[in-house]
Amino acid sequence: MDFAPHAVTALMGPSGCGKTTLLRCLNRIHEILPKARVEGKVSLDGEDVYDSGISAIELRRRVGMVFQRANPFPTMSIAGNVTAGLLSDVPNSARAQIVEKALRGAALWDEVKDKLNQPGTSLSGGQQQRLCIARALAVEPEVLLMDEPTSSLDPISTASVEDLMESLAKEYTIVVVTHNMQQAARVSNYSAFMLSGEDGIGHLIEMSETRQMFTKPTDPRTEDYITGRFG
Ligand SMILES: Nc1ncnc2c1ncn2[C@@H]1O[C@H](COP(=O)(O)OP(=O)(O)OP(=O)(O)O)[C@@H](O)[C@H]1O
Ligand SMILES: [Mg+2]
């Protein structure tokens, strides 16, 4: 699969087809699971991210991740959450500016600018999800992986995160897992459809421009899924 730079690619497919698993392989976060192993190759800017010379921690700065459930660090303030991923040698004098930029990028600044020292967990669910997006943006990644980022949000918060994805795609490469067909159609430029085979392993069935996938899918299984016949 090629993920186009400065575009949104949606990963779709029924539960259990391996979307999260694939996403985790892209920034090597599966390596925190003791028994996980990976085959194949993932390249970023022409470099194999599994090359022994590349540190997983460094990679995860370049390939940020936003999870399905907002997971702000419970003991930290809003500002502290945003700067949590920064290296310790970033001086305090630079942090305030980074916090503002990331929170503006995540379309949260106006709502929290007067209470940056309050706990991150004091925010609403939608705000917490945008806080997690700000945390991911603060380290200035190249790629943003988002695993069902709106599945626990109400329609208003969902709309704001969707708007955000569109504007973030100007600067970042975004890969988003979604179960919501309308969302995929609204926010993504490219779409990939996956299914798990009888072996229980996820396979890519089809990948194309979203417009094409939703109007003229090439595989009948994609069409069945998009039109809601299964999954
Ligand atoms: N390519 C693969 N190789 C090995 N195991 C896989 C592969 N794809 C999926 N699996 C296994 O299938 C299970 C479900 O995968 P995963 O959680 O990634 O699915 P998902 O598509 O994210 O589902 P959901 O929509 O419910 O979040 C996991 O146990 C995972 O290890
Ligand atoms: Mg998943």
Side-chain angles (χ1 to χ4, degrees), residues 49-115:
V49 307
Y50 285 95
D51 193 284
S52 59
I54 295 205
S55 107
I57 293 174
E58 184 55 35
L59 174 69
R60 290 178 204 139
R61 291 181 182 285
R62 291 166 65 193
V63 185
M65 197 159 194
V66 176
F67 299 88
Q68 178 170 3
R69 294 205 155 270
N71 55 350
F73 297 122
T75 55
M76 287 187 189
S77 66
I78 293 171
N81 264 282
V82 176
T83 56
L86 295 177
L87 294 172
S88 53
D89 61 4
V90 176
N92 280 339
S93 55
R95 287 178 183 246
Q97 223 176 347
I98 293 171
V99 167
E100 177 168 347
K101 187 173 173 210
L103 287 169
R104 282 190 190 280
L108 186 58
W109 174 251
D110 289 334
E111 289 156 67
V112 301
K113 61 176 190 276
D114 299 322
K115 49 178 180 180

Side-chain angles (χ1 to χ4, degrees), residues 65-167:
M65 197 159 194
V66 176
F67 299 88
Q68 178 170 3
R69 294 205 155 270
N71 55 350
F73 297 122
T75 55
M76 287 187 189
S77 66
I78 293 171
N81 264 282
V82 176
T83 56
L86 295 177
L87 294 172
S88 53
D89 61 4
V90 176
N92 280 339
S93 55
R95 287 178 183 246
Q97 223 176 347
I98 293 171
V99 167
E100 177 168 347
K101 187 173 173 210
L103 287 169
R104 282 190 190 280
L108 186 58
W109 174 251
D110 289 334
E111 289 156 67
V112 301
K113 61 176 190 276
D114 299 322
K115 49 178 180 180
L116 294 173
N117 292 321
Q118 287 183 21
T121 47
S122 65
L123 299 173
S124 75
Q127 290 172 326
Q128 288 187 24
Q129 190 59 305
R130 280 178 284 146
L131 178 61
C132 294
I133 293 172
R135 182 174 66 193
L137 297 181
V139 298
E140 304 200 315
E142 295 169 47
V143 180
L144 203 53
L145 308 174
M146 306 176 103
D147 195 355
E148 301 187 51
T150 61
S151 62
S152 60
L153 304 185
D154 69 19
I156 292 171
S157 308
T158 295
S160 75
V161 171
E162 285 184 5
D163 286 348
L164 189 56
M165 277 188 238
E166 276 188 280
S167 66

Side-chain angles (χ1 to χ4, degrees), residues 219-231:
D219 191 297
R221 291 169 293 179
T222 315
E223 179 156 13
D224 286 351
Y225 186 73
I226 289 175
T227 54
R229 268 188 280 247
F230 74 91

Side-chain angles (χ1 to χ4, degrees), residues 14-21 148 179 200-202:
S15 188
C17 73
K19 303 178 296 294
T20 298
T21 304
E148 301 187 51
H179 277 286
I201 291 177

